[in-house]
């Protein structure tokens, strides 16, 4: 029997990535293509631009399979959570994709959050806070600020749905992606009619809900473009954070994943929704009935890089190593406190416009003391979230760490 060979295609915030994978051999080949500035600027993405990049890396993996005499039997899709794409009656985009980075509606949504009863109701139904990161509240802001734009929109879509539809012609969305929109009821696993009423939307304006491993056949014209047979099954696509939990072997309820990269996240699986009484962490859908309770922070290695570019010069392994070594001599009991909100706050306070800075800085503090406090501040923010997750779901047996933090032994020790 020949080994099963598949490709995994991811469209992230900044890059299209693809790997060729064999059950027998593991990862055989990989390719990536960073989006150009015209395709992605952080808060927004050009739909056709990211799809073109995705086809480029997919084509490279098809060639890699051909060179090895392998036949690709399926395409698995992964994309970002919390994106919004408005499309018209012909299923054509009416503007660029709005990503999770887009917080243009922060002031508007901050005013909405004054209605504490509304916030609690939406939070406990959807597992999502009333916050500008979520597509439901991006839509709410656009209806207020650009009604002429929302009037052009017949359907609500997302980055992942656009890629899947462009590959297969089918309109569907995984419950995993949907659970990060603010439109989805985390208890019934369906679109929440009360939230849709608030938004002035009907269920048929959103995609058909399916499980993450639902597939549709690759369109003949796309198959020809990339060099595959038409009809190759394509999965509907799952969220990158959910797939990270799968990748660490975290389908069980014993392990918590902790990733610290540009931003940070904690995730743990439960068999039913786990939502704190006070809005703080989030709860999304994974697959197979499992929920993913977690927390995300906006500030991670982006705070580290902000400091190092101003005090260490151009970022390099030498600069990282110098500061990692330098903090070994810092007296942590005398170090300043860093409020790690340079890029706003998600969990647990959900204040888009919150700012950061140093507290208790003295003339005796040098650059290494400040650097230490940044690492510590990021972890304190995550520790806040960890304590809440433990309170509602119990203590995990282990915490599995990934991301840029693993490259810093002192930071890993602080985390431990």
């Amino acid at each position: 029997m020949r080994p099963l060979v598949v490709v995994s295609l991811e469209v992230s915030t900044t890059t299209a990535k693809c790997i060729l994978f064999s059950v027998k051999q593991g990862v055989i080949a990989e390719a990536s293509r960073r989006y150009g500035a015209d395709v992605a600027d952080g808060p927004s993405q050009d739909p056709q631009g990211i799809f073109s990049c995705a086809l480029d890396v997919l084509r490279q993996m098809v060639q890699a399979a051909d060179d090895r005499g392998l036949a690709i039997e399926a395409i698995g899709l992964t994309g970002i959570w919390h994106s919004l794409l408005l499309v018209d009656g012909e299923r054509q985009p009416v503007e660029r994709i709005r990503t999770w980075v887009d917080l243009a509606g922060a002031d508007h949504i901050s005013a909405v959050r004054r209605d504490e009863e509304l916030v609690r109701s939406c939070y406990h139904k959807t597992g999502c806070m009333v916050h500008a990161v979520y597509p439901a509240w991006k839509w709410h802001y656009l209806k207020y600020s650009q009604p002429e734009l929302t009037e052009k929109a017949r359907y609500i879509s997302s980055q992942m749905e656009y890629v899947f539809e462009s590959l297969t012609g089918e309109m569907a969305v995984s419950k995993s992606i949907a659970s990060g929109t603010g439109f989805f009821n985390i208890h019934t696993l369906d679109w929440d009619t009360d939230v849709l009423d608030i938004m002035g939307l009907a269920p048929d304006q959103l995609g058909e809900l399916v499980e993450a491993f639902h597939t549709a056949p690759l369109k003949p014209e796309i198959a020809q473009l990339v060099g595959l047979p038409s009809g190759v099954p394509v999965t509907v696509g799952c969220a990158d954070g959910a797939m990270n939990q799968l990748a660490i072997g975290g389908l069980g309820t014993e392990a918590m994943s902790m990733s610290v990269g540009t931003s940070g996240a904690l995730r743990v699986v439960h068999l039913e929704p786990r939502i704190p009484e006070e809005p703080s962490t989030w709860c999304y859908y994974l697959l197979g009935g499992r929920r993913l309770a977690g927390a995300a922070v906006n500030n991670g290695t982006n705070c580290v890089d902000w400091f190092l570019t101003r005090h260490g010069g151009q970022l390099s392994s030498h600069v990282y190593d110098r500061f990692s070594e330098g903090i070994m001599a810092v007296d942590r009991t005398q170090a300043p406190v860093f409020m790690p909100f340079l890029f706003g706050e998600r969990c647990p306070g959900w204040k888009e416009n919150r700012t950061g800075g140093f507290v208790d800085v003295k003339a005796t503090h040098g650059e290494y003391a400040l650097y230490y406090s940044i690492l510590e501040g990021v972890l304190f923010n995550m520790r806040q979230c960890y304590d809440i997750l433990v309170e509602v779901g119990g203590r995990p047996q282990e915490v599995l760490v990934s991301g840029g933090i693993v490259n810093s032994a002192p930071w890993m020790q602080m985390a431990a």
Side-chain angles (χ1 to χ4, degrees):
M1 180 182 293
R2 68 181 185 182
L4 177 66
V5 176
V6 299
V7 292
S8 173
L9 175 61
E10 177 181 352
V11 282
S12 73
T13 308
T14 60
T15 311
K17 313 165 191 174
C18 200
I19 62 171
L20 181 65
F21 180 86
S22 162
V23 171
K24 185 176 181 180
Q25 299 173 254
V27 177
I28 299 169
E30 56 187 283
S32 65
R33 178 176 170 185
R34 191 172 183 84
Y35 308 137
D38 58 329
V39 172
D41 56 13
S44 73
Q45 297 176 334
D46 172 59
Q48 187 55 49
I50 65 163
F51 184 62
S52 294
C53 291
L55 289 184
D56 180 47
V57 293
L58 176 58
R59 192 180 297 112
Q60 292 181 54
M61 290 302 94
V62 173
Q63 185 62 56
D66 288 345
D67 292 344
R68 293 164 173 79
L70 301 173
I72 293 171
E73 299 182 50
I75 301 170
L77 297 183
T78 307
I80 61 173
W81 251 320
H82 322 315
S83 66
L84 175 69
L85 175 62
L86 308 183
V87 296
D88 62 21
E90 302 299 318
R91 302 294 300 180
Q92 296 301 307
V94 300
E95 65 160 1
R96 289 165 68 94
I97 298 166
R98 292 173 181 261
T99 74
W100 60 273
V101 183
D102 167 46
L103 298 177
D107 290 340
H108 172 76
I109 301 306
S110 179
V112 173
R113 280 200 298 271
R114 295 172 190 159
D115 187 338
E116 294 184 6
E117 183 177 345
L118 172 70
V119 170
R120 285 183 176 275
S121 174
C122 291
Y123 178 68
H124 285 281
K125 284 173 177 286
T126 67
C128 300
M129 181 59 170
V130 175
H131 190 273
V133 74
Y134 289 114
W137 300 101
K138 295 183 192 298
W139 167 262
H140 193 282
Y141 164 67
L142 289 173
K143 283 201 70 175
Y144 165 80
S145 62
Q146 299 183 54
E148 70 286 351
L149 177 65
T150 56
E151 287 170 6
K152 296 178 184 177
R154 173 65 183 88
Y155 300 102
I156 302 295
S157 188
S158 67
Q159 180 216 58
M160 193 76 276
E161 290 171 82
Y162 180 82
V163 172
F164 178 68
E165 185 175 349
S166 298
L167 289 171
T168 68
E170 182 175 310
M171 294 167 283
V173 59
S174 72
K175 294 177 183 179
S176 169
I177 291 287
S179 68
T181 63
F183 292 119
F184 181 84
N185 188 303
I186 195 62
H187 306 277
T188 65
L189 304 184
D190 202 350
W191 299 118
D192 189 274
T193 53
D194 291 336
V195 173
L196 294 184
D197 285 345
I198 292 171
M199 303 299 172
L201 292 168
D204 65 2
Q205 291 182 263
L206 292 95
E208 178 188 355
L209 292 165
V210 295
E211 284 285 353
F213 294 120
H214 169 85
T215 65
L218 187 65
K219 292 194 296 187
E221 57 268 36
I222 300 298
Q224 185 176 7
L225 273 176
V226 298
L228 283 172
S230 62
V232 171
V234 182
T235 69
V236 70
C238 205
D240 48 9
M243 291 297 95
N244 177 269
Q245 189 70 23
L246 282 181
I248 66 165
L251 259 184
T253 58
E254 302 83 14
M256 176 184 287
S257 64
M258 172 181 172
S259 59
V260 186
T262 303
S263 57
L266 298 163
R267 309 179 188 95
V268 63
V269 172
H270 293 289
L271 300 181
E272 67 285 316
R274 295 296 177 96
I275 303 173
E277 179 60 32
E278 190 68 26
S280 49
T281 56
W282 45 254
C283 186
Y284 305 150
Y285 183 73
L286 186 56
L287 52 85
R290 293 171 174 84
R291 272 66 164 190
L292 194 60
V297 300
N298 281 2
N299 302 275
T301 60
N302 49 5
C303 293
V304 173
D305 292 348
W306 162 80
F307 182 81
L308 292 183
T309 53
R310 285 156 178 78
H311 296 270
Q314 188 173 357
L315 293 177
S316 66
S317 58
H318 171 72
V319 171
Y320 287 115
D321 291 344
R322 177 167 73 85
F323 276 82
S324 288
E325 183 178 344
I327 64 173
M328 303 300 288
V330 172
D331 180 355
R332 66 180 184 177
T333 66
Q334 299 299 316
V337 172
F338 179 66
M339 304 299 288
F341 305 110
L342 300 184
F343 302 91
E345 182 188 25
R346 266 195 278 178
C347 298
W350 297 102
K351 296 179 181 177
E352 298 97 334
N353 293 325
R354 190 169 187 182
T355 57
F358 295 97
V359 180
D360 292 337
V361 179
K362 302 174 183 176
T364 55
H365 287 138
E367 58 184 4
Y368 296 135
L370 296 176
Y371 186 69
Y372 174 90
S373 72
I374 290 174
L375 304 185
E376 184 182 63
V378 169
L379 291 177
F380 276 148
N381 187 189
M382 298 194 76
R383 176 60 190 259
Q384 274 187 297
C385 299
Y386 173 83
D387 287 342
I388 296 167
L389 292 172
V390 167
E391 183 179 348
V392 298
R395 191 174 302 279
Q397 292 183 16
E398 58 182 344
V399 178
L400 305 174
V401 186
S402 63
I405 188 174
V406 301
N407 298 316
S408 171
W411 206 5
M412 284 290 286
Q413 182 60 55
M414 292 163 66

